[in-house]
């Protein structure tokens, strides 16, 4: 391949120069029909048989680990086990191999589509919908046929990882001694893969259309600032990007020098700058980058990639250690935001047509009250030092919040009866990330001690765009008038009620958006630790008057393009040297 440039969406800044490695390539490409000759028939039927038994063994293993109280999940798995055990499916695929002389993968697809057509004709809607189960089971067998996911551990040198998709669970498994950057075919501006890449400080790009055409071992430059992959670069590219990589490292060490100074404007307006973290290990990065505490601890990540659910003591120790390391600064522990793309496999396969609108966050917790109460007990027990706050995600209305509070207080009373210590005045907050919560933020404010605006989801749910979908990524506009009005409305409602308002979406790490938040007089922001020094620096070099003037002009503007232009102009004029080192959610 001669020099080619692939374009995607930049989600984590930085430059990586290295060789490519495509993770689990087979499953990302569609099935291909291959005609086989007589001598391969036995081999293909044997492969099919093995794939069916491996898929069955896998499911039986998962079933054993499901706690007894989760009967519904067990029932789903049981039905999948039944489909796998029913020899009709397997025999039909085997007969296709023998009669049509085709490869196992294609035969499996044919057998699957026969069953699907039979199901579709069934009148009973419930039974008809079970076709979904057949698909899920067939996918399990397929992934066995394609081979187990490639093992990153077998890599002998650091590579640039390419993948069709990386789930939040995959991303936290990335080993930095093996992976220097990554790019995926799917994903949007605030997909969790990008959030983790920023935490790990590795460059990353998502939504790259033609990625699967790249063979393993290609030399590429991954430009995480502009979302470009330069395949087979020439000498000039290598020189240019090596220099840019060096300049970025220099810039980082320059801004890091002042990272412990407060985020205070020239005219004395101070904002607190906290950190978002996903894993306990990131606490060191919070301290190293001048974070003034943890504004968002995404606790669900400790539930991913493990076979069993953590027990209360394990969670308690994790939260207690975090609180004591960060003391006297505060840590906001967000209760589980499982669901949507953050799937805890301990609950079996998920069957939701619209998972982002389904059993996620507090809804998931209400469905699994024992799990929720275990976490609440652990948080309360870890609060004794007095620097822990609790925060509930995805609150949609007052009744829902009251229900959650009821569960919280019942757990608290239970601990009190048992004479277990906890902080009796632990602050309680909620994420404002649904449009419904924005519009009733005055009512919600009466019930809590603080708000944290989650723009990643607020933009997704307000503008009706899946945050992980690259096809609608162009509509992901933080400066859309509806988003700006929503943020302002929440800040004003919070202040009116005398409570603190923070913002912890990716907007808080975006140099083009922070001036707007400052103009709205946000009390604190929370962002990935690595972005803290740069954002603090911008705040320290400007005045509140400047921020307010920019906000006024942006609020007066009626379209996003104009708002984008206004904020770009300010940053271009005031902070020209910062520009090349940031990725932004704002379109050019
Ligand atoms: C958000 O939605 O803005 C947020 C911070 O939460 P998460 O990204 O974990 O959904
Ligand atoms: Mg969210």
């Amino acid at each position: 391949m001669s020099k080619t440039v692939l374009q995607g969406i930049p989600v984590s800044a930085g430059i990586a120069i290295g060789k490519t490695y495509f993770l689990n390539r087979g499953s990302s490409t569609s099935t291909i029909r291959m005609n086989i000759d007589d001598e391969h028939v036995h081999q293909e039927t044997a492969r099919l048989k093995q794939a069916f038994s491996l898929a069955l063994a896998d499911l039986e293993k998962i079933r054993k680990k499901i706690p007894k109280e989760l009967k519904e999940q067990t029932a789903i798995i049981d039905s999948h086990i039944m489909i796998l055990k029913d020899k009709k499916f397997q025999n039909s695929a085997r007969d296709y191999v023998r009669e049509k002389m085709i490869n196992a993968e294609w035969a499996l697809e044919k057998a699957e589509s026969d069953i699907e057509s039979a199901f579709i004709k069934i009148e009973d809607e419930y039974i008809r919908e079970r076709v979904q189960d057949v698909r899920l089971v067939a996918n399990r067998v397929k992934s066995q046929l394609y081979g187990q996911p490639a093992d990153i551990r077998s890599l002998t040198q650091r590579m640039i990882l390419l993948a069709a998709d990386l789930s939040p669970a995959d991303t936290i498994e990335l080993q930095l001694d093996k992976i220097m950057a990554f790019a995926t075919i799917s994903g949007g501006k605030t997909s969790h893969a990008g959030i983790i890449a920023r935490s790990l400080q590795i460059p990353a790009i998502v939504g790259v259309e033609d990625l699967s055409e790249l063979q393993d071992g290609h030399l590429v430059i991954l430009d995480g600032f502009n979302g470009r992959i330069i395949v087979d670069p020439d000498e000039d590219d290598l020189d240019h990007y090596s220099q840019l990589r060096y300049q970025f490292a220099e810039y980082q060490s320059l801004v890091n020098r002042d990272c412990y100074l407060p985020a205070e404007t020239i005219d004395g307006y101070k904002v607190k700058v906290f950190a978002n973290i996903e894993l306990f290990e990131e606490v060191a990065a919070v301290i190293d980058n001048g974070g003034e505490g943890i504004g968002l601890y995404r606790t669900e990540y400790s539930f991913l990639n493990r076979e069993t659910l953590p027990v209360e003591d394990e969670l308690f120790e994790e939260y207690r250690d975090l609180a004591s390391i960060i003391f006297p600064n505060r840590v906001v522990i967000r209760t589980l935001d499982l669901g949507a793309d953050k799937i805890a496999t301990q609950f079996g396969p998920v069957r939701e047509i619209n998972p982002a609108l389904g059993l996620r966050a507090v809804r998931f917790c209400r469905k699994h009250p024992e799990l929720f109460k275990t976490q609440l007990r652990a948080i309360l027990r870890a609060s004794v030092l007095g620097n822990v706050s609790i925060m509930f995600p995805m609150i949609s209305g007052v009744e829902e919040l009251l229900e959650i509070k009821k569960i919280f207080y019942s757990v608290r009373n239970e601990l009190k009866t048992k004479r277990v210590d906890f902080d009796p005045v632990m602050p309680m907050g909620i994420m404002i990330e649904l449009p419904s919560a924005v519009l009733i933020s005055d009512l919600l404010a009466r019930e809590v001690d603080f708000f944290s605006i989650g723009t990643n989801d607020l933009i997704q749910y307000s503008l009706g765009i899946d945050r992980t979908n690259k096809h609608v990524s162009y509509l992901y506009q933080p400066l859309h008038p509806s988003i700006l009005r929503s943020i302002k409305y929440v800040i004003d409602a919070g202040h009116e009620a005398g409570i603190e308002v923070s913002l912890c979406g990716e907007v808080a790490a975006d140099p083009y958006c922070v001036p707007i938040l400052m103009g709205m007089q946000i009390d604190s922001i929370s962002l990935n630790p690595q972005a803290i020094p740069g954002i603090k620096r911008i705040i320290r070099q400007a005045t509140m008057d400047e921020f307010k003037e920019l906000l006024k002009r942006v609020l007066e503007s009626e379209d996003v393009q104009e708002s984008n232009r206004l904020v770009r102009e300010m940053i271009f004029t005031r902070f020209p040297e910062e520009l090349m080192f940031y990725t932004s959610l704002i379109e050019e």
Side-chain angles (χ1 to χ4, degrees):
M1 201 185 237
S2 56
K3 180 174 149 180
T4 335
V5 179
L6 306 179
Q7 184 66 48
I9 304 164
V11 288
S12 182
I15 301 291
I17 303 176
K19 298 233 170 116
T20 54
Y21 175 74
F22 206 109
L23 182 70
N24 202 12
R25 184 184 288 276
S27 61
S28 70
T29 50
S30 49
T31 308
I32 304 172
R33 177 188 170 125
M34 284 193 282
N35 294 326
I36 54 170
D37 45 31
D38 273 341
E39 62 189 278
H40 285 108
V41 169
H42 178 67
Q43 183 190 316
E44 290 301 284
T45 52
R47 281 182 67 225
L48 257 179
K49 196 168 165 201
Q50 195 197 19
F52 268 89
S53 7
L54 288 173
L56 180 61
D58 222 29
L59 270 184
E60 283 175 336
K61 216 159 91 192
I62 294 173
R63 193 193 183 289
K64 273 198 202 121
K65 282 179 207 133
I66 300 179
K68 282 192 201 65
E69 55 275 20
L70 301 176
K71 286 207 193 74
E72 197 189 318
Q73 307 294 341
T74 320
I76 297 167
I77 304 262
D78 282 342
S79 69
H80 290 186
I81 289 178
M82 259 170 57
I83 299 174
L84 274 174
K85 281 189 174 163
D86 177 2
K87 287 280 179 242
K88 269 190 241 117
F89 187 14
Q90 190 176 332
N91 290 350
S92 147
R94 183 203 57 200
D95 292 347
Y96 267 117
V97 174
R98 287 183 181 156
E99 285 158 24
K100 305 271 180 214
M101 309 279 281
I102 49 175
N103 56 320
E105 288 86 349
W106 190 254
L108 183 71
E109 290 242 317
K110 295 288 287 170
E112 181 191 344
S113 93
D114 287 350
I115 302 181
E116 282 184 21
S117 331
F119 263 91
I120 284 162
K121 290 190 196 119
I122 296 174
E123 263 185 32
D124 182 318
E125 193 185 335
Y126 178 79
I127 301 185
R128 204 171 53 232
E129 281 185 359
R130 301 285 69 75
V131 74
Q132 278 286 37
D133 296 307
V134 177
R135 273 187 208 132
L136 288 169
V137 169
N139 282 345
R140 287 197 164 270
V141 181
K142 257 182 236 164
S143 64
Q144 296 296 345
L145 272 179
Y146 288 127
Q148 294 301 319
D151 188 354
I152 300 178
R153 273 164 292 207
S154 62
L155 294 179
T156 50
Q157 65 180 110
R158 285 184 86 214
M159 297 289 224
I160 293 180
L161 185 75
L162 312 179
D165 190 13
L166 286 175
S167 69
D170 295 330
T171 339
I172 54 175
E173 287 287 278
L174 293 181
Q175 295 149 313
L176 294 186
D177 54 339
K178 301 283 167 65
I179 305 300
M180 58 171 95
F182 72 76
T184 58
I185 298 176
S186 65
K189 285 180 193 169
T190 57
S191 300
H192 289 98
I195 293 177
I196 301 285
R198 285 192 285 280
S199 298
L200 297 172
Q201 267 192 291
I202 57 172
I205 307 177
V206 299
V208 190
E209 229 31 278
D210 308 315
L211 211 54
S212 56
E213 283 166 24
L214 271 179
Q215 296 302 312
D216 288 347
H218 256 294
L219 177 68
V220 301
I221 298 171
L222 187 144
D223 171 358
F225 300 113
N226 300 299
R228 276 199 287 261
I229 298 181
I230 299 155
V231 186
D232 293 333
D234 55 31
E235 283 300 316
D236 287 348
D237 296 322
L238 289 168
D239 275 357
H240 169 72
Y241 282 100
S242 304
Q243 220 179 340
L244 188 57
R245 190 169 55 176
Y246 174 75
Q247 285 168 340
F248 184 46
E250 290 272 284
Y251 171 78
Q252 283 179 309
S253 66
L254 170 83
V255 289
N256 272 19
R257 252 176 259 158
D258 291 336
C259 76
Y260 295 106
L261 297 176
E264 181 173 2
T265 59
I266 297 169
D267 45 353
Y269 183 91
K270 247 192 225 164
V271 67
K272 286 251 175 223
V273 182
F274 299 119
N276 293 349
I277 63 166
E278 289 73 39
L279 297 171
F280 176 82
E281 294 74 31
E282 288 176 82
V283 65
V286 178
I287 296 166
D288 291 349
N289 286 287
E292 297 162 45
I294 297 167
L296 169 64
Y297 181 32
R298 292 182 163 104
T299 55
E300 58 279 1
Y301 280 84
S302 314
F303 285 65
L304 306 180
N305 293 347
R306 46 180 296 158
E307 299 197 335
T308 52
L309 293 170
V311 294
E312 182 184 322
D313 276 349
E314 189 182 340
L315 294 177
F316 159 64
E317 281 164 25
E318 179 185 316
Y319 304 154
R320 178 203 56 196
D321 291 351
L322 195 58
S324 61
I325 295 173
I326 211 75
F327 189 82
N329 286 329
R330 76 195 263 224
V331 49
V332 179
I333 303 184
R334 179 176 77 180
T335 59
L336 290 170
D337 186 3
L338 285 169
D341 58 340
K342 287 180 276 192
I343 312 293
T345 46
Q346 302 92 334
F347 297 90
V350 187
R351 302 190 308 165
E352 288 182 297
I353 293 178
N354 289 314
L357 302 179
L359 267 190
R360 185 186 162 182
V362 286
R363 304 157 184 196
F364 183 92
C365 288
R366 281 177 75 184
K367 174 123 176 103
H368 301 293
E370 280 319 311
L371 170 77
F372 190 36
K373 287 181 184 169
T374 303
Q375 185 183 37
L376 294 177
R377 275 193 296 273
I379 297 174
L380 275 160
R381 286 171 59 198
S383 68
V384 280
L385 285 177
N387 65 335
V388 174
S389 303
I390 190 167
M391 177 160 76
F392 301 115
M394 292 279 292
I395 295 293
S396 64
V398 175
E399 289 80 4
E400 185 181 42
L401 174 59
L402 294 180
E403 276 305 314
I404 296 294
K405 282 175 76 171
K406 206 155 96 190
I407 304 175
F408 173 78
Y409 286 120
S410 77
V411 169
R412 216 173 81 142
N413 287 341
E414 183 198 314
L415 291 184
K416 207 162 154 188
T417 317
K418 291 186 182 154
R419 297 181 183 283
V420 176
D421 278 348
F422 58 83
D423 175 6
V425 290
M426 174 170 68
M428 177 191 285
I430 54 172
M431 304 250 335
I432 301 285
E433 46 190 348
L434 291 173
S436 60
V438 170
L439 291 174
I440 55 161
S441 46
D442 54 332
L443 307 180
L444 292 166
R446 296 182 198 151
E447 295 295 333
V448 289
D449 303 306
F450 65 94
F451 285 156
S452 190
I453 306 175
T455 44
N456 302 341
D457 279 313
L458 184 59
I459 298 175
Q460 152 163 274
Y461 295 118
S462 300
L463 302 181
I465 41 161
D466 178 348
R467 66 194 260 193
T468 66
N469 184 335
K470 65 179 174 197
H471 302 295
V472 287
S473 188
Y474 69 101
L475 286 171
Y476 199 96
Q477 294 158 329
L479 300 188
H480 188 292
S482 76
I483 303 300
L484 292 177
R485 288 184 197 186
S486 296
I487 298 175
K488 183 155 184 342
Y489 191 82
V490 175
I491 296 175
D492 292 347
H495 288 171
E496 184 81 13
I499 66 168
E500 185 187 323
V501 184
S502 187
L503 189 144
C504 62
E506 292 308 298
V507 157
D510 192 316
Y512 297 103
C513 299
V514 167
I516 299 290
L517 304 178
M518 291 296 293
M520 290 183 187
Q521 292 185 289
I522 193 93
D523 301 303
S524 62
I525 51 176
S526 192
L527 50 150
N528 71 77
Q530 286 70 27
I532 290 176
I535 291 295
K536 274 187 164 182
R537 180 174 140 105
I538 288 177
I539 296 171
R540 270 203 315 276
Q541 292 183 8
T543 64
M544 194 55 171
D545 282 348
E546 268 179 288
F547 291 142
K548 283 195 170 152
E549 174 57 26
L550 177 69
L551 173 68
K552 185 167 160 282
R553 293 179 62 201
V554 166
L555 286 178
E556 277 164 9
S557 109
E558 285 174 11
D559 71 288
V560 188
Q561 305 312 331
E562 172 65 1
S563 302
N564 289 353
R565 195 190 60 72
L566 287 167
V567 293
R568 281 193 169 272
E569 190 181 86
M570 179 208 183
I571 298 286
F572 271 125
T573 336
R574 294 284 282 107
F575 309 98
E577 76 279 23
E578 326 275 328
L579 284 175
M580 54 201 254
F581 302 120
Y582 282 97
T583 59
S584 173
L585 298 163
I586 306 292
E587 299 284 329
E588 292 261 354

